[in-house]
Amino acid sequence: MALPVAFFALFFAWPVAAIVARGLKTDGTWRWGRIADVVSQPDIRHVLWFTTWQALASTVLTLLLALPAAYVLARLDFPGRQLLRAVVTVPFVLPTVVAGSAFLALVGRHGLLDQLWGVRLDTTVWAILLAHVFFNYAVVVRTVGGLWAQLDPRQEEAARMLGASPLRAWRKVTLPALAPAVAAAALMVFLFTFTSFGVVQILGGPTFSTVEVEIYRQTSEVFDLSTAAVLTLVQFAAVGAILAVHAWTVRRRETALRLVDPNTTARRPRGAGQWALLAGVLVTIALLLVLPPAVLVRRSLDAPGLGYYRALTNADGGTFLVAPVHAVWTSLEYAVAATAIAVVIGGLAAAALARRDAGRLVRGFDALLMLPLGVSAVTVGFGFLIALDKPPLDLRQTWILVPLAQALVGAPFVVRTMLPVLRAVDVRLREAAAVLGASPWRVWREVDLPLVRRALLVAAGFAFAVSLGEFGATVFIARPDNPTLPVAVARLLSRPGDLNYGQAMALSTILMVVCAVALLILERLRTDRTGEF
């Protein structure tokens, strides 16, 4: 635990504490009254209200649209089922900047809806809500569908034989069993939408602002660190409460049910109702998940002869100090470095948490590992500039600063992927190897590593995809001569002109393809047959 604790203390706790202290401390005195002053401001209360209600609306809308797909993928067996599962998962690993760009190409200026019917939704809250559903659809399908596939269908069949209608059997038998999974999925969707930044930044414009976007505005545009610090504390408290409730629902889910092999529960669709449901789910996925990326690709090809892609090779002294295509190689280099850091830190943390003799303090660190996913990435990025600006850790001019910020987001995915596999390793195998004279290092190399190798590769793939698309912290610390893909897309979208817009679409398409390829590789390496995250 020494290295993971030191890493999170140095590169997460310290930067966050530094920016909070910079905002709330004056002449050595803490100004706690500033919290009430900021929260009482009408514009800040409007931001807090919008952040909360759009997260609730996004969560409800995601559940309504994704629960039928969870049932279809869990209970129905049909050609192309595995491909459909991969298609559903692709949006989740896409960077939020790509999701925002895809919906901008669909509902924004000169978008598909604008061209066909003269309708624009990029300045309305509907664009944000639909983009959030696009991004979080897979969370519900994977989390709820994974458990649904393992529920014994004979329990519902027994209720039907005793005279219950299909609806009553589902409501009395299946729904209570699924409730913890539905609650866990809803909480994760709420967490992701509550802390939304890239989607709202691109689609919301000056009209809509979440807490995360407001923190960015207060730090980079208004330079009001005091207000940013208060908003950081508010978001931190909200995220902590969400994670605590999520941990409780997960514990209920782990202990409440007797599950069966998920490969034995799926059957061919029977009756007009199931075929109609399957058709409806396919149409929803086509319109909501496939159409926006397809429109994004088409918009990137609008210029004759791949003009927007060829323009990426030209240096633009206005937006970049280098050619935009340079961001592709920079992002790949940073993502590889961040993945290596995340695998080491997350792997060590997972190994410590998997030990049966782990104390309460170690288990408590498991919950803290999730905080970087919910705490403002903007705060972390700006905190890097404030906290890591003096020897012996003056990293502001070094390339490693970006991979460190990206690894903070990737490490929790490594822990969540590797921990169940490490806990499943029979401790007697290690004990037998030790009795035969193997050293602890050799026991790990000969016993643990072969069993967790594929999980390690899956964890590395997730960390790579997440690092590649990290935007909130990177937007502060990426240097002008080394922009990452998400930062380059955001900068191009912020400038007027069709050429800049087309280049943003082209870069978004490249980023989407790289992330999709990484996901398809992950699907082939998956060791978890339940289909859950």
Side-chain angles (χ1 to χ4, degrees):
M1 289 297 296
L3 188 58
V5 168
F7 178 81
F8 278 90
L10 192 60
F11 298 113
F12 176 68
W14 186 19
V16 172
I19 194 171
V20 171
R22 181 70 65 92
L24 295 181
K25 204 172 184 180
T26 303
D27 297 329
T29 303
W30 288 92
R31 297 184 299 158
W32 297 112
R34 179 62 179 159
I35 296 178
D37 295 338
V38 170
V39 174
S40 63
Q41 296 176 13
D43 55 337
I44 297 299
R45 284 190 298 180
H46 176 74
V47 169
L48 294 174
W49 168 242
F50 175 76
T51 302
T52 304
W53 87 255
Q54 68 81 24
L56 288 172
S58 297
T59 302
V60 172
L61 192 59
T62 303
L63 289 175
L64 290 176
L65 293 176
L67 283 177
Y71 169 80
V72 165
L73 290 173
R75 292 299 202 196
L76 302 185
D77 186 17
F78 53 90
R81 182 176 172 223
Q82 294 303 320
L83 176 61
L84 188 65
R85 188 189 301 275
V87 169
V88 166
T89 310
V90 165
F92 180 74
V93 300
L94 290 181
T96 55
V97 170
V98 172
S101 300
F103 274 84
L104 196 62
L106 179 63
V107 303
R109 177 176 56 90
H110 302 314
L112 182 62
L113 296 185
D114 191 14
Q115 293 177 359
L116 293 179
W117 298 295
V119 176
R120 288 184 58 184
L121 298 177
D122 56 323
T123 56
T124 70
V125 72
W126 280 107
I128 296 174
L129 297 182
L130 290 175
H132 283 161
V133 175
F134 169 86
F135 189 71
N136 295 290
Y137 195 89
V139 175
V140 177
V141 172
R142 291 286 198 168
T143 305
V144 180
L147 180 61
W148 211 332
Q150 293 180 280
L151 294 181
D152 192 342
R154 293 173 297 183
Q155 296 176 350
E156 190 170 328
E157 292 169 358
R160 294 285 306 279
M161 292 182 64
L162 293 174
S165 65
L167 178 60
R168 187 179 182 188
W170 181 83
R171 183 166 53 87
K172 293 292 186 179
V173 177
T174 304
L175 182 58
L178 289 176
V182 173
L187 284 168
M188 290 305 296
V189 173
F190 184 85
L191 175 64
F192 290 142
T193 52
F194 186 84
T195 58
S196 180
F197 177 61
V199 168
V200 180
Q201 179 76 356
I202 292 176
L203 296 176
T207 307
F208 302 106
S209 178
T210 58
V211 172
E212 187 87 351
V213 174
E214 188 65 20
I215 292 173
Y216 174 76
R217 192 180 72 86
Q218 293 291 337
T219 52
S220 64
E221 298 176 10
V222 184
F223 304 107
D224 187 352
L225 290 185
S226 177
T227 300
V230 171
L231 292 176
T232 297
L233 291 177
V234 171
Q235 189 179 51
F236 190 85
V239 168
I242 295 170
L243 291 177
V245 177
H246 179 264
W248 177 72
T249 60
V250 169
R251 283 196 300 271
R252 284 187 57 198
R253 179 180 172 186
E254 290 176 345
T255 59
L257 303 170
R258 179 178 62 84
L259 306 177
V260 298
D261 185 353
N263 295 319
T264 64
T265 59
R267 299 175 180 176
R268 297 283 294 179
R270 293 177 295 181
Q274 290 190 347
W275 281 108
L277 179 62
L278 175 59
V281 168
L282 292 177
V283 170
T284 301
I285 291 174
L287 294 178
L288 185 64
L289 304 186
V290 177
L291 182 60
V295 174
L296 171 65
V297 175
R298 188 194 67 81
R299 291 287 284 125
S300 72
L301 299 174
D302 275 353
L306 300 177
Y308 291 143
Y309 288 91
R310 288 190 287 107
L312 296 177
T313 62
N314 300 324
D316 181 358
T319 305
F320 304 103
L321 300 180
V322 294
V325 73
H326 183 72
V328 178
W329 312 116
T330 300
S331 289
L332 292 174
E333 292 170 353
Y334 284 164
V336 169
T339 300
I341 297 171
V343 166
V344 172
I345 299 299
L348 289 174
L353 294 168
R355 291 180 60 91
R356 298 180 185 275
D357 57 349
R360 182 174 300 177
L361 183 61
V362 174
R363 292 194 298 270
F365 185 66
D366 186 19
L368 295 179
L369 289 172
M370 295 292 291
L371 284 179
L373 297 180
V375 172
S376 170
V378 171
T379 299
V380 174
F382 196 67
F384 268 36
L385 299 180
I386 293 177
L388 306 178
D389 63 341
K390 298 177 182 178
L393 274 179
D394 187 358
L395 303 178
R396 288 177 301 172
Q397 302 301 320
T398 63
W399 66 271
I400 195 64
L401 200 62
V402 173
L404 287 172
Q406 295 173 341
L408 277 173
V409 183
F413 284 91
V414 175
V415 175
R416 295 271 72 81
T417 304
M418 293 189 61
L419 189 56
V421 180
L422 286 170
R423 283 174 173 167
V425 176
D426 193 339
V427 68
R428 292 173 296 182
L429 295 176
R430 302 189 184 105
E431 293 171 350
V435 169
L436 293 174
S439 65
W441 166 252
R442 188 176 181 186
V443 169
W444 182 86
R445 180 166 53 88
E446 301 288 348
V447 176
D448 290 72
L449 184 58
L451 295 174
V452 303
R453 182 183 293 116
R454 297 183 72 186
L456 183 62
L457 292 174
V458 172
F462 268 121
F464 178 81
V466 170
S467 301
L468 197 64
E470 205 287 322
F471 177 58
T474 309
V475 71
F476 271 101
I477 57 182
R479 295 166 55 181
D481 58 339
N482 280 307
T484 63
L485 276 170
V487 172
V489 170
R491 289 181 183 174
L492 286 168
L493 287 175
S494 67
R495 301 192 69 199
D498 290 338
L499 180 60
N500 288 317
Y501 185 84
Q503 289 183 90
M505 297 296 107
L507 279 180
S508 297
T509 300
I510 293 173
L511 184 53
M512 178 178 65
V513 169
V514 173
C515 290
V517 169
L519 174 70
L520 293 176
I521 295 174
L522 290 181
E523 282 293 320
R524 297 186 65 86
L525 292 174
R526 282 179 54 84
T527 57
D528 178 12
R529 300 179 63 185
T530 67
E532 299 177 64
F533 283 119

